[in-house]
Each structure stands twice: as structure tokens, then as C-alpha cells.
Amino acid sequence: MDRGLPAALCGLAAGAVLTTATCWLLEAAGPVEREEAVVVTRHRAPPGEPAAYRLVLRTASGERLEASGHDKNFDLRPAQPVLLEISEVGRAVRAIEVDRHRVPVDAEVLRILLAALFGAGLLAGALVLVADSGRRVVAAVSTAVALGAGALPVLLLL
């Protein structure tokens, strides 16, 4: 039985998911640039819930960024100047520095891990389907092309 098409579809999905996980990883742990900004608004969690803060920030160039965290140092007043660490991939705020005190933004490590595991599972499924295929070479080539095709739209969005 030919399993070339299902293998290619799994490869397509694996390419998209693994590329997305890689982008999220670079956003969370890749290179950063430092930029000055001002707090525009601050939102706090309602009373009775665990402390959580969400900030809207505006850079000197006019770029609007958001950051959230559970640290009490995120309780900043509007119009307060801050120094941001912004990831070069994804332009996400990684940390806020106030009065030479660095406060990291809450990282979403679980999201990255789950996406990587899901993508790896899809890729493993594609490889199993290729191995079970009657035409292994054709199935392997079509799966490799589909893997790249799945990654392409994600890379173009960067």
C-alpha cells in the first residue's frame, strides 16, 4: 500500500510546527537588543487573584509592545521610562530594566516544549509512513519537500 501522500502531509505539518517552535525558541532565548521605552498603561490582576501585571509600552520609535509578569517590580506607573530587552526574532519583550534592576518577562517554556514534541511526533510519523511505503525513495523525497514547504510560510511571516 502506498503511504507517500500521508507521509508528505505529515511532513508538511511537521515543517510548520517545528519551524514555529524554533521561532518561539529564538524569541525566548535568542539575541536581544536594548531599547528605551515608556510605560503607556498598566493592568493588574483583580484583588483576590495571584499578582499579575500586564504592561503596554511605547518605544522612542513609536513601536507598541506588551509585557506581562508576576513580579511585583512590574507594577510600574504610566509615563515611567524603562529600558527594554527586545528579542531580535519576533520583537518580543524579554526583560524590563527599571533603575538598573532587571525584571525578566514570564517565559512560555511549556508552549515551546509542547510544539517541539508535537512537531517531532509528526516527523516521526512521517518517517514511519515512508518506511512502510512501497516506493520509499519517492515517499522520502516528497516528505522532505513537504517538510520544507511547511516551513516556508512560517519563515516568510518573520
Side-chain angles (χ1 to χ4, degrees):
M1 181 173 177
D2 185 29
R3 303 225 186 248
L5 181 62
L9 292 175
C10 278
L12 183 73
V17 173
L18 288 172
T19 304
T20 301
T22 302
C23 291
W24 287 343
L25 180 63
L26 288 172
E27 187 178 285
V32 296
E33 58 185 47
R34 297 171 69 85
E35 206 169 314
E36 292 180 358
V38 174
V39 177
V40 177
T41 59
R42 163 191 66 195
H43 303 280
R44 294 182 192 159
E49 292 186 18
Y53 305 95
R54 196 176 121 255
L55 301 173
V56 177
L57 307 144
R58 177 103 33 217
T59 65
S61 64
E63 184 178 8
R64 180 185 180 277
L65 300 166
E66 294 186 21
S68 60
H70 291 86
D71 192 300
K72 67 177 181 169
N73 291 311
F74 265 88
D75 193 11
L76 303 171
R77 67 186 191 294
Q80 184 171 356
V82 295
L83 186 63
L84 302 177
E85 282 185 11
I86 303 171
S87 65
E88 290 181 10
V89 176
R91 299 290 298 164
V93 177
R94 296 248 303 270
I96 296 176
E97 190 174 308
V98 182
D99 300 326
R100 298 186 183 191
H101 179 74
R102 184 181 180 278
V103 184
V105 172
D106 289 345
E108 297 182 12
V109 176
L110 183 62
R111 174 183 71 159
I112 298 167
L113 180 64
L114 290 176
L117 288 174
F118 184 65
L122 285 170
L123 186 57
L127 294 175
V128 166
L129 289 170
V130 165
D132 193 33
S133 173
R135 298 181 299 179
R136 289 186 181 147
V137 173
V138 172
V141 169
S142 64
T143 301
V145 169
L147 187 68
L152 186 62
V154 177
L155 291 174
L156 291 176
L157 290 174
L158 293 177

